[in-house]
Amino acid sequence: MKLAKRAEIDAFFAKPSPAVLGALIYGKDRSQVIERATGLARQIVADINDPFNVSVLTDSDIEADPARLEGELQALSMMGGRRLVRLKFFSEKATLDKAVAATLKAHAAGEFNRDAFIVIEAGGLGGDSSLRRLADSDKNLVSIACYEDETGDVVRMARETLSANGVALTSAAMDIFAQRLPKERGIARQEIERLVLFIGPGSHKTLNENELLDFLGVEPEASLFKAAQDAFGGRMKPAQAGLRRAFAEGEGGADAMRALSLHYNKLKLLKSLLQKGMGTKEAARAAGVFWKDENDLLRQAQAWHVDTLDALAADLIEADKLCKSTGMPDALISERLYLQIAGRAARAGL
């Protein structure tokens, strides 16, 4: 049966029904999947690391030995009582999905050890997944989808963690913090815990919005624009670091390509204005260069050759298309181009 409402999910996690023999927890937010699966596992057995009472399998194990899952579900606990089987299933192979679904269906029907509880952690299963359809419909199984956290979920998680550590944020500061948190739950939780350390656990201090900005630093989008500037300036390590920080905070490859293209256009315009005889200050202002970046971009405009910049246009367009194509590793595609540009800039003397 499918559990969708927070209240029913929380109720099940607090006290799993004895009639339920397994749970499928799936979704693109892998950290949330693992967090929920681990929480449920702890409700089934006292020690989730007990090698005699807990079995952990992967999709590779099942593919190598199709009977392995059935054997684990038939096994009895050495000490008596409940036994836990954890299956980390992130395969996209339809044949494997069907095979696991068939074994799970038999277990739900009571054909194996009824004291064995199975928790399956899976990726973003589509509506055509046999495993998902079975868990959604069988009364002896539950399915829980893990979507990206809504703002309300993020605020709730942040408030609970801050309160547990004796610190807090004002309402205005919390609004800012919630908007800045990454979408992926595992990274969001790390940021919340980092904020706790910044405030001071047990200090009973409440941060306002101005104090919070000291912790937040620059916006993720600002990190991308700085990374693009570093790339065209031949600073490979800072470019890569800024890019990865932005990715960790929820930005994607398409966002990175937008920042790179905007810097490229600004640099081309600046170079064109300088070649027409315009003064450096006037050219920088006309190209929309921020005064703090003026010296750096003027150096870039002098070092990059027009032909090299023109040739780069095709690479930018191709990488942007790939980043927007379904199934392509957009972060890796954009990062590769950032590093290639940084390398060309370094060879140009920057």
Side-chain angles (χ1 to χ4, degrees):
M1 60 187 153
K2 186 175 183 178
L3 301 183
K5 296 180 180 179
R6 171 174 289 276
E8 60 186 8
I9 293 173
D10 290 345
F12 176 75
F13 273 53
K15 190 176 181 180
S17 169
V20 175
L21 300 180
L24 169 65
I25 303 176
Y26 69 96
K28 293 183 178 180
D29 189 341
R30 191 161 181 168
S31 292
Q32 188 181 164
V33 169
I34 295 171
E35 183 177 300
R36 282 185 160 175
T38 302
L40 178 57
R42 288 197 173 104
Q43 295 286 25
I44 305 301
V45 292
D47 181 5
I48 62 173
N49 297 311
D50 181 358
F52 301 107
N53 213 27
V54 178
S55 177
V56 180
L57 303 176
T58 66
D59 41 45
S60 298
D61 294 326
I62 307 301
E63 190 170 23
D65 183 2
R68 179 81 181 275
L69 180 59
E70 181 178 327
E72 295 293 351
L73 291 171
Q74 288 177 329
L76 301 174
S77 170
M78 291 186 67
M79 305 302 292
R82 303 206 80 176
R83 171 174 163 74
L84 174 67
V85 177
R86 295 186 70 175
L87 174 59
K88 298 180 183 296
F89 188 82
F90 292 95
S91 172
E92 296 181 358
K93 295 180 179 179
T95 53
L96 204 55
D97 179 271
K98 289 178 181 179
V100 172
T103 302
L104 187 62
K105 184 176 182 179
H107 181 55
E111 296 181 19
F112 306 140
N113 176 16
R114 292 192 62 85
D115 284 327
F117 190 96
I118 180 170
V119 178
I120 302 176
E121 302 167 23
L125 300 176
D128 58 345
S129 165
S130 300
L131 190 55
R132 176 179 165 181
R133 290 202 304 269
L134 172 67
D136 282 349
S137 60
D138 197 299
K139 65 179 182 179
N140 293 327
L141 302 170
V142 298
S143 71
I144 300 169
C146 295
Y147 302 108
E148 290 181 344
D149 285 322
E150 300 291 337
T151 302
D153 297 322
V154 171
V155 171
R156 187 182 301 106
M157 181 169 66
R159 281 187 176 144
E160 289 174 354
T161 305
L162 292 172
S163 177
N165 286 276
V167 294
L169 295 176
T170 63
S171 296
M174 180 60 79
D175 289 341
I176 296 171
F177 187 58
Q179 292 300 320
R180 285 289 304 274
L181 279 174
K183 299 172 184 177
E184 207 273 338
R185 176 174 287 204
I187 300 172
R189 188 173 291 282
Q190 290 174 14
E191 281 298 291
I192 295 168
E193 291 171 351
R194 195 164 67 87
L195 176 61
V196 169
L197 293 174
F198 176 80
I199 301 173
S203 65
H204 301 289
K205 184 177 180 180
T206 299
L207 250 60
N208 60 35
E209 55 267 42
N210 291 328
E211 293 169 317
L212 178 66
L213 291 176
D214 291 335
F215 167 79
L216 292 176
V218 297
E219 294 279 352
E221 189 176 69
S223 294
L224 285 179
F225 288 120
K226 183 63 171 64
Q229 184 175 328
D230 284 333
F232 275 95
R235 299 179 289 273
M236 189 172 294
K237 287 186 178 180
Q240 187 177 44
L243 193 61
R244 290 186 175 180
R245 178 183 181 276
F247 288 157
E249 295 187 357
E251 301 294 326
D255 302 310
M257 289 308 306
R258 173 175 170 269
L260 202 62
S261 296
L262 286 172
H263 186 87
Y264 170 82
N265 291 333
K266 184 181 293 186
L267 185 59
K268 277 206 69 175
L269 175 58
L270 177 60
K271 190 168 185 68
S272 173
L273 294 173
L274 290 171
Q275 288 180 326
K276 290 178 180 178
M278 188 177 288
T280 55
K281 293 286 185 184
E282 294 78 6
R285 191 179 303 114
V289 177
F290 185 50
W291 66 269
K292 286 187 177 180
D293 300 327
E294 188 176 296
N295 290 336
D296 187 30
L297 263 75
L298 286 170
R299 283 195 300 271
Q300 292 183 22
Q302 291 168 355
W304 279 90
H305 194 275
V306 174
D307 292 341
T308 308
L309 283 174
D310 288 342
L312 192 58
D315 293 335
L316 287 165
I317 293 170
E318 180 62 22
D320 188 56
K321 285 181 180 178
L322 290 174
C323 284
K324 293 174 181 175
S325 301
T326 304
M328 297 298 285
D330 60 323
L332 291 177
I333 291 167
S334 59
E335 182 173 342
R336 182 175 62 184
L337 186 55
Y338 269 66
L339 298 181
Q340 287 175 349
I341 290 172
R344 292 181 193 179
R347 289 192 293 274
L350 287 163

